[in-house]
Amino acid sequence: LLIAPDRSEPEGLRSDLLGPALCLLAELVRRLQRVRGEPLVPLNAWLHDGPHWHLELFPRIGRLAGLELGAGVYINPVSPDQAAAELG
C-alpha cells in the first residue's frame, strides 16, 4: 500500500500533509487487523523522504522467499480488487 501527496514537496518530514497521511496509515492498519481477525498483524511501514515522499505499508502475511529476500521485491498473493473490497 502506498500513501503519497498529489504534488511534489521539498521535505516530507516537514509537510503539512504528513500528519493526515499518518492518520490514514493508522486507519489502514486498523482495517487490516479487522480483515485478518487479529489484534496484531505483522507489517513493515516506511517513510521515503524527499521531493516525492511517500509512506509504504507492507503486511507480512506470508513467508519471505528468495525474491523478497534477495531482490527486495515483495509479492502479495492478494489481488488488488480483493484487497480493496476487504479493506473498504
Side-chain angles (χ1 to χ4, degrees):
L1 184 133
L2 187 92
I3 301 171
D6 62 353
R7 64 183 184 277
S8 293
E9 297 184 313
E11 294 182 54
L13 290 173
R14 298 181 190 269
S15 171
D16 291 338
L17 298 174
L18 182 58
L22 290 170
C23 288
L24 179 58
L25 179 69
E27 175 60 25
L28 290 166
V29 169
R30 284 190 289 275
R31 290 183 187 198
L32 184 61
Q33 290 168 333
R34 177 182 48 83
V35 167
R36 299 284 300 168
E38 302 171 19
L40 296 174
V41 176
L43 55 87
N44 292 97
W46 299 271
L47 167 63
H48 294 268
D49 197 18
H52 301 288
W53 69 269
H54 60 277
L55 296 167
E56 288 184 42
L57 174 65
F58 179 74
R60 298 186 64 171
I61 57 176
R63 298 183 119 190
L64 294 181
L67 185 64
E68 291 93 349
L69 295 171
V73 175
Y74 299 98
I75 297 172
N76 186 343
V78 179
S79 75
D81 292 336
Q82 179 185 350
E86 291 179 0
L87 291 172

